[in-house]
Each structure stands twice: as structure tokens, then as C-alpha cells.
Amino acid sequence: MSELQTPQAGDDRARDDDVVALLMRQHGDIRNLFDEVEATEGEERRDAFRRLVRLLAVHETAEEEVVHPFVRRSVAGGQDIVEDRLKEEREAKEMLADLDEMDPDGPDFLPRLITLRRNVQMHARAEERYEFIHIRRSTDVTDLAAMAKAVKAAEAMAPTPPHPGVESGAKNVALGPVAALMDRTKDAVRKAMGGS
């Protein structure tokens, strides 16, 4: 396959006017890609894994730029909630980076992939419980739609490889070319949210 076709939230033609629904669909897409990686081998597995890596990077970048800032300022105990999610994301990115250097048909790949899947699924449940539910409860439909638009903008600009340790703007500065990509992502999110 010459071009990676990564599922994007909204591929199901549903309206992307609710950030929580959009991110929940991405969680489903991530689960489906894990299934595909586990069920295939050879070039099909490599392709499915590349799509999984990209979708995880896109999803986490969108959350780091849109969801976490909202939770920090709008949810009681939001700083602690976000720090816990960032720690989980850092660990997942490290595991993903390790897997990315392995042979997908090697004997250690699937056991490590299954461990990553378990961690990603626990992380997704924590997001749904501690972040998404609060967003839904404390945000009106206009803000849900604006945040969804910003997530879609982040999807379009997000980096494709995982970058462990890059969960904040300050850390992005040290990454050179990747920092420019992250800055463009932030700019796209701000523009989508109506900022300057």
C-alpha cells in the first residue's frame, strides 16, 4: 500500500459536532486497529501497525491540545486528572516507540503489543471516566462542537511517529522539525477554536 489510510473520526459520516462522541469513535477505531494488527502477519501486519501508530499519535495530540487544557481549567482536580493521563500517555508512547523498532513478525512483538493494548484500553477508560464525562456535563453544545472542530484540525496536523516525553508545549521546543509540526497543530487548533 503506497499511502497509509488511517481511520479518521468522522469516516463513518456521522456529524462531528460533539467532541466526546468524536473521541469515543476514535477509541473504537484504535481497538479495531489493535484487532487487525493481532490478526494479520507479514506486510498486512506492518501496514496495520503503521496505521495504529499514526492514529494513536493523532488521537493523543488532539487530546493534549484540546481535552487536557479544558479539563485543567474547568474540572475540579483537573490538574491531577491531566497529570495522570499524561503519565499514561508517556508510558504508552515509550512502548509504542519500542514496538516500532521491532520486527512485527518477531516472537516478542505480539506479547508486547498485547501489553500496550491493555495499557491503552485502561487509559481510554480513564479518559472516558475522568475527562469525557466532565466535558459532557460542563459544556454546552456550542463548545462541544468547537472542541470537535479543534480535534479535527489537530488530526490534520498531528505528527505520525510517537514522541515519548512530548506532552507539553515546553517539551516540543527541543524537538526541532517536530516542534514546527506541533506549533502548526497548535495554531490549527487555536484557529479552529476561534482564537488568534
Side-chain angles (χ1 to χ4, degrees):
M1 178 179 272
S2 62
E3 182 180 332
L4 293 180
Q5 296 296 319
T6 303
Q8 297 283 311
D11 279 356
D12 59 4
R13 304 291 181 234
R15 289 181 48 200
D16 290 329
D17 57 2
D18 179 332
V19 70
V20 173
L22 181 115
L23 293 169
M24 294 288 287
R25 280 199 310 277
Q26 284 184 345
H27 284 177
D29 291 340
I30 290 165
R31 283 190 301 274
N32 292 341
L33 279 170
F34 270 112
D35 288 344
E36 189 176 339
V37 174
E38 290 176 26
T40 57
E41 56 188 40
E43 194 54 40
E44 285 182 78
R45 178 177 284 166
R46 282 176 188 76
D47 176 60
F49 182 68
R50 284 190 301 265
R51 288 182 286 129
L52 175 64
V53 168
R54 183 181 188 287
L55 183 55
L56 285 168
V58 163
H59 180 77
E60 294 308 327
T61 298
E63 289 178 340
E64 289 163 11
E65 295 298 319
V66 178
V67 174
H68 298 331
F70 177 87
V71 170
R72 272 193 180 106
R73 69 178 177 270
S74 303
V75 174
Q79 184 64 31
D80 291 335
I81 291 169
V82 170
E83 289 307 314
D84 289 344
R85 299 302 72 78
L86 290 175
K87 181 178 184 249
E88 295 162 0
E89 289 167 12
R90 233 181 341 270
E91 291 168 0
K93 286 177 184 179
E94 290 168 4
M95 293 176 74
L96 198 56
D98 289 344
L99 277 167
D100 199 34
E101 296 191 10
M102 296 176 75
D103 175 5
D105 290 321
D108 294 334
F109 183 83
L110 274 181
R112 290 187 182 186
L113 181 79
I114 290 167
T115 300
L116 172 65
R117 180 182 190 148
R118 186 178 324 114
N119 291 353
V120 166
Q121 288 176 325
M122 288 179 3
H123 170 71
R125 283 192 296 273
E127 287 175 336
E128 292 165 9
R129 180 176 181 189
Y130 298 112
E131 290 185 298
F132 296 0
I133 197 164
H134 293 291
I135 291 170
R136 177 75 46 78
R137 287 180 181 164
S138 63
T139 309
D140 64 21
V141 293
T142 303
D143 287 339
L144 287 171
M147 291 171 68
K149 184 177 176 184
V151 167
K152 293 295 286 181
E155 280 184 337
M157 301 302 296
T160 55
H163 298 290
V166 183
E167 293 82 27
S168 72
K171 291 180 183 176
N172 289 338
V173 173
L175 283 178
V178 174
L181 182 56
M182 298 302 281
D183 287 342
R184 288 196 333 256
T185 301
K186 287 183 207 171
D187 290 344
V189 168
R190 289 180 188 135
K191 182 177 180 183
M193 304 247 338
S196 52

